[in-house]
Structures are given as structure tokens and as C-alpha cells.
Amino acid sequence: MEGWQRAFVLHSRPYSETSLLLDLFSESHGRVRVLAKGARARRSQLKGTLQPFTPLLVRWTGRGEVKTLTKAEAVSLALPLSGITLYCGLYVNELLSRVLEQEFPFSELFFDYLNCLQTLASGESSPEPALRRFELALLGHLGYGVDFLHCAGSGEPVADAMTYSYREEKGFIASLVANQRSFTGRQLRALWERDFPDADTLRAAKRFTRIALKPYLGGKPLKSTELFRQFVPKKRPDAASP
């Protein structure tokens, strides 16, 4: 690889006695797996640098599935995530690690990711709107196209008070049945605008993204969600999970 790449660490694990195996999310190459040789050694200059949520400039070499990290510098301090926002950040990282193919460029998604982390770090009262906006952006970049503004059956614009049932590969169809796949026209408009002014639209957004992301995640649960559930009862019983 020529030149420096902006990147974040999505996941890391020890490799041999002194090295790390990293999943990076880079601006121009998407998700890349690299071996950071000697990164865990006592005198390594990389020690403490290759951490999640730290903006990095990196370089690597190699043509195989696992590259070799040659340079890494922290652009700034790690984004200040703690408590619930830390678990939300871990959730976003795990989501990318699970659904992105290796070395497929997602330059615009990189900035959606950065914006999500910055919003989480800003200390907004609730992290949920940032998570829902990021999930919807991710689905869009993965090619998951759905028309939130028109009834798939009639082609008519959705009406705020009408109920619509979601069907995969078709869209939203007017229905009198209310269940987990039912959304009002007002909720669909909020999804389209990625603006969630109240608890009702936030809950609807979470229901939809769970449905839409399930085929990409398969049946394996997210570790970050399980960790969050262990954390919440001790801190904020009323907090919503990622």
C-alpha cells in the first residue's frame, strides 16, 4: 500500500507473545486485517496507540488476507467514550466487523462512522439517535434499498396515520394488522429523514434496523449487546440497549 491511510481499530486480539492481530476500518480500503508485529513488546512504540476510538494514520504491506502493519501514528487522543457510550461504540465496531467484507472501499461510510463516534463522545442526552442514523447509513451503503415514502402495493405516498407492514424485498404495504413489522406513515417518514423527535419514532427505528440487519448478522448474537446487558442493571436500569 502506498501512502498513509486514516483508520480506526475495530477489534484486536493477541497474536504470539508480542504481536497483535487487528481489524482496521480505513478510509479508502474499508475493513482490513493486519498483523502488528511486536506491538505488545515492552518497548514497542505502538504500545497504547492501537486502541479502539483513536484516530490513526497507518501504513501496511502485503497482498494476502492478512497484511503487515508497518507504521501507525495517533492523530489525536482517543474519543472520550465511557459508560453507556463506550458500549455503544463497541456495538458500532462489532457491527462493522461482522457485516463488512474485507478490503471493500466504504469512504462515505468511514465519515458516517466518524460522525457517529463524535456524536457519542459529545455527551448528548441519549446515544440512540446517533446509533439509529448510523445503522440506516450502513444499510444504505450495503445496498439495502427500501422506499420509506411510498406504499409498495399502490405506489401512493404514505399517510402519517396509516399502518404499513414491512415485507422483505418489497417494502411497506398498507395493512390493518399491527405487529412487530408494522409502522405508521409518520414513523416511516422519520426513518427516511433519519430524524427521531420522540420515543415513538426511536423505538420504530430500532425495530426496523433490527429486522433489516438480521440477514447480515445471522443467528450469532453480538457480544457488545450481551456486555451492555450485564452493565446496565448496575448503572441505569432504564437505559435502552444499543
Side-chain angles (χ1 to χ4, degrees), residues 84-115:
I84 289 173
T85 58
L86 174 60
Y87 284 93
C88 290
L90 293 173
Y91 164 75
V92 171
N93 279 4
E94 188 176 8
L95 201 56
L96 290 178
S97 294
R98 289 275 295 272
V99 307
L100 294 187
E101 295 182 13
Q102 287 200 52
E103 297 185 64
F104 193 94
F106 285 101
S107 298
E108 292 182 13
L109 180 60
F110 182 85
F111 290 99
D112 288 322
Y113 171 76
L114 177 58
N115 183 60

Side-chain angles (χ1 to χ4, degrees), residues 144-157:
Y144 192 95
V146 61
D147 186 350
F148 293 107
L149 298 183
H150 296 87
C151 174
S154 67
E156 294 291 324

Side-chain angles (χ1 to χ4, degrees), residues 1-2 5 15 19-24 26 29-37 58-71 102-104:
M1 183 196 74
E2 296 181 2
Q5 280 287 309
Y15 186 88
S19 300
L20 285 172
L21 192 62
L22 306 170
D23 265 357
L24 300 178
S26 66
H29 294 263
R31 186 170 69 87
V32 181
R33 184 159 293 174
V34 301
L35 179 63
K37 295 181 178 179
V58 300
R59 300 180 72 169
W60 64 77
T61 61
R63 296 184 178 182
E65 183 177 340
V66 179
K67 319 298 183 188
T68 300
L69 187 72
T70 56
K71 296 282 185 181
Q102 287 200 52
E103 297 185 64
F104 193 94

Side-chain angles (χ1 to χ4, degrees), residues 196-233:
F196 314 108
D198 51 38
D200 175 67
T201 52
L202 266 178
R203 285 193 297 266
K206 186 173 182 177
R207 275 196 295 120
F208 174 75
T209 56
R210 290 296 175 272
I211 293 169
L213 286 168
K214 187 175 181 179
Y216 297 96
L217 295 172
K220 187 178 178 182
L222 292 166
K223 294 179 181 178
S224 53
T225 304
E226 295 300 316
L227 288 172
F228 185 90
R229 287 170 180 163
Q230 295 173 24
F231 167 83
V232 166

Side-chain angles (χ1 to χ4, degrees), residues 103-180:
E103 297 185 64
F104 193 94
F106 285 101
S107 298
E108 292 182 13
L109 180 60
F110 182 85
F111 290 99
D112 288 322
Y113 171 76
L114 177 58
N115 183 60
C116 180
L117 293 187
Q118 289 174 332
T119 303
L120 291 174
S122 71
E124 287 191 3
S125 57
S126 171
E128 284 203 71
L131 294 181
R132 303 296 83 85
R133 286 193 293 267
F134 178 75
E135 290 166 341
L136 289 167
L138 175 59
L139 286 164
H141 291 301
L142 292 172
Y144 192 95
V146 61
D147 186 350
F148 293 107
L149 298 183
H150 296 87
C151 174
S154 67
E156 294 291 324
V158 297
D160 284 1
M162 186 65 188
T163 300
Y164 300 85
S165 180
Y166 177 67
R167 299 183 186 178
E168 282 89 349
E169 300 181 2
K170 289 185 178 181
F172 297 91
I173 297 177
S175 173
L176 298 176
V177 178
N179 55 35
Q180 282 297 103

